[in-house]
Amino acid sequence: MEHLLGKMRYLCDETRMLTGITVAYGTSRESEHVLYGRAEEITLKDGQFIPCVRALAEDSIYDLASLTKLFTSVMTMILVERGMLSLDERIGEIDARFIHLKDVTVFDTLCYRVCLQTPGRIDDAPDRDEGLRRLFAVSVVPSPAVRIYSDINAMVMKYVIEQKSGMALYDAVNHYILRPAGMDDTYARVPEGKRSRCICYNYEHRIVRDRYILRTDTDLGVPHDPKAMLLSGSGHDLCGHAGLFSTRADMVHFAQALLRGELISRDSLLEIATNRTGRYNEDGTYRQPLGFLCFTKHPLQRLSEVPAHMGAHALGISGFTGNHLVLDPELDCFEVFLGNRCHGRVSHITPPQGVALSHYGLDDIGAGLVPWPDGRHIPSSAKYVYQKDACLHEPIVQRMHALGWLA
């Protein structure tokens, strides 16, 4: 475990890609975890950033971001298993508000067999009503050759689940997933009395060409994702793509309940984790391999959301805030990373054409301090996604072999 802890220190203290991270791993029956770093580092007071150090705790609450999609996928399969939904049903017939999806099936939507696009970005909408109008006006557009993953499919599936279950999405998730799995610390809207346990994702920095953007609107317990923040009404109405908050203990319960077949059958879990889209294009590029609202294994490990030691029937899903979940039903193992790559970090850089990341003071792995217009130097997490194999997956595999959890 010391090797893994050293890598976590590297991510949090040496490269400063993360403020802190909790890592859990195990099998359907056993698990182990370790945490390192801070839940909060700075705050803005009277126009100045000042230290506000708060350590991670065993019961820290994390914004799951896109890990919410896996709950949406599992919820869909629960309805299918109970005969309440068929994958062949058409979205526009289930919910007539989707006027352009009359011929699009649930299966099409779950596995990204269709590319969906709204008439205008939802996160640019002036209010929730306009955001919803844009979502219900979603239509099918030609699929990109390589990058086909999108939030929109999971956002649509929310309304399929609600129509077929007769419940709001969070109520359905709570009834069919959270309570059966013993997840009593997972929320769409974190109760006021528990918000002090939430990780801080505020003060995210972005560079988009010549624009330097600082977010100061992400309060504790409010979804970081701008679309979820808008459409959910700050958590009152859970979206299908993002918006759940949870703890390390609850996410271990979730992974183990899936591996044990307590929420859906093994066959349904394997259906979720089956590659539906990945294939080589004529130019040698590879189309993203996706299952039902999740990733499957990519032949190029650098681009894979599934670690090298897991097999063809494993699934993976990451959240922009710094989280990651992978599980392999055949190996009977899982890994959960709950990190923070947003708070006080440059999370995203889109440089002008011809400008390299080294221009911003970053090294070959994307680590470094980025000069900000106000004179501060901000740590970068822009390339954190590419560090997960060497820094987390590999030491976890060594540890699970040592414990006898992997053959």
Side-chain angles (χ1 to χ4, degrees):
M1 185 180 289
E2 187 57 38
H3 179 40
L4 172 60
L5 187 57
K7 292 291 188 179
M8 293 164 67
R9 291 193 193 100
Y10 171 77
L11 290 172
C12 298
D13 293 346
E14 295 179 39
T15 66
R16 297 186 66 190
M17 289 186 175
L18 306 176
T19 63
I21 185 170
T22 295
V23 174
Y25 47 89
T27 69
S28 58
R29 300 292 175 184
E30 300 170 286
S31 70
E32 192 171 74
H33 72 276
V34 59
L35 66 160
Y36 183 83
R38 297 157 293 281
E40 189 170 5
E41 292 183 341
I42 56 173
T43 191
L44 190 60
K45 185 176 182 180
D46 298 327
Q48 298 291 322
F49 282 100
I50 60 173
C52 181
V53 179
R54 181 164 54 97
L56 288 183
E58 289 284 348
D59 63 350
S60 288
I61 299 174
Y62 299 81
D63 182 343
L64 296 183
S66 282
L67 268 61
T68 302
K69 293 184 179 75
L70 187 55
F71 288 82
T72 301
S73 180
V74 170
M75 190 63 239
T76 302
M77 297 309 292
I78 288 172
L79 296 180
V80 170
E81 288 190 348
R82 292 170 178 259
M84 300 164 69
L85 173 67
S86 168
L87 297 180
D88 294 329
E89 289 186 70
R90 300 184 186 279
I91 301 293
E93 294 176 357
I94 296 172
D95 191 325
R97 290 175 293 182
F98 290 107
I99 57 175
H100 301 304
L101 302 185
K102 299 294 186 184
D103 297 322
V104 176
T105 67
V106 172
F107 182 85
D108 293 333
T109 307
L110 278 177
C111 67
Y112 300 91
R113 193 159 65 176
V114 293
C115 180
L116 303 178
Q117 184 172 299
T118 56
R121 291 186 61 89
I122 290 173
D123 47 3
D124 285 342
D127 53 41
R128 183 173 184 267
D129 287 343
E130 173 59 17
L132 288 171
R133 188 196 69 77
R134 294 181 185 185
L135 178 57
F136 289 124
V138 67
S139 61
V140 177
V141 297
S143 291
V146 176
R147 297 179 61 86
I148 57 177
Y149 179 76
S150 167
D151 288 342
I152 301 298
N153 299 55
M155 295 171 78
V156 169
M157 286 306 304
K158 161 192 168 70
Y159 297 98
V160 170
I161 291 168
E162 291 184 340
Q163 291 289 341
K164 289 296 186 174
S165 69
M167 306 167 74
L169 178 59
Y170 178 76
D171 292 337
V173 167
N174 186 48
H175 179 77
Y176 289 105
I177 297 177
L178 303 185
R179 285 193 287 180
M183 300 172 68
D184 56 5
D185 218 3
T186 299
Y187 314 96
R189 182 170 176 81
V190 180
E192 192 70 36
K194 297 187 177 184
R195 293 195 176 187
S196 63
R197 292 165 46 201
C198 289
I199 303 299
C200 181
Y201 299 96
N202 211 5
Y203 313 126
E204 176 196 6
H205 299 64
R206 291 180 174 224
I207 301 174
V208 182
R209 297 178 180 86
D210 60 348
R211 296 174 59 215
Y212 284 69
I213 303 164
L214 170 64
R215 285 189 63 182
T216 60
D217 60 348
T218 310
D219 295 330
L220 294 180
V222 172
H224 171 275
D225 180 88
K227 296 185 292 294
M229 184 186 293
L230 177 75
L231 295 184
S232 72
S234 297
H236 289 282
D237 184 20
L238 177 65
C239 296
H241 73 292
L244 281 177
F245 291 77
S246 192
T247 62
R248 180 270 311 165
D250 271 17
M251 291 306 291
V252 169
H253 290 325
F254 180 53
Q256 290 184 322
L258 286 174
L259 289 173
R260 291 197 293 260
E262 294 174 353
L263 301 176
I264 55 175
S265 69
R266 178 183 174 86
D267 286 346
S268 290
L269 184 58
L270 290 173
E271 282 290 307
I272 290 175
T274 297
N275 172 26
R276 310 285 180 178
T277 60
R279 63 175 182 269
Y280 282 100
N281 297 312
E282 291 183 0
D283 64 358
T285 57
Y286 195 82
R287 203 162 180 247
Q288 282 181 321
L290 297 165
F292 288 171
L293 305 182
C294 67
F295 288 89
T296 58
K297 196 161 188 177
H298 197 293
L300 182 59
Q301 187 55 39
R302 180 177 178 274
L303 300 178
S304 185
E305 292 287 349
V306 175
H309 71 277
M310 290 190 179
H313 293 102
L315 64 85
I317 185 77
S318 289
F320 183 85
T321 47
N323 305 320
H324 186 60
L325 184 152
V326 291
L327 59 83
D328 189 327
E330 295 186 323
L331 290 181
D332 185 39
C333 65
F334 74 90
E335 301 174 26
V336 174
F337 309 155
L338 299 169
N340 186 354
R341 60 178 293 267
C342 297
H343 177 62
R345 299 298 188 269
V346 179
S347 65
H348 178 82
I349 301 176
T350 302
Q353 187 172 2
V355 176
L357 289 182
S358 58
H359 170 79
Y360 301 95
L362 305 187
D363 61 19
D364 290 343
I365 67 166
L369 298 177
V370 179
W372 205 253
D374 62 7
R376 293 177 299 129
H377 287 77
I378 315 301
S380 169
S381 66
K383 296 295 180 182
Y384 161 66
V385 64
Y386 299 114
Q387 310 310 313
K388 289 183 294 191
D389 275 337
C391 290
L392 299 172
H393 290 308
E394 290 177 13
I396 286 173
V397 172
Q398 295 173 17
R399 177 63 179 168
M400 287 202 288
H401 276 301
L403 291 169
W405 293 351
L406 289 177

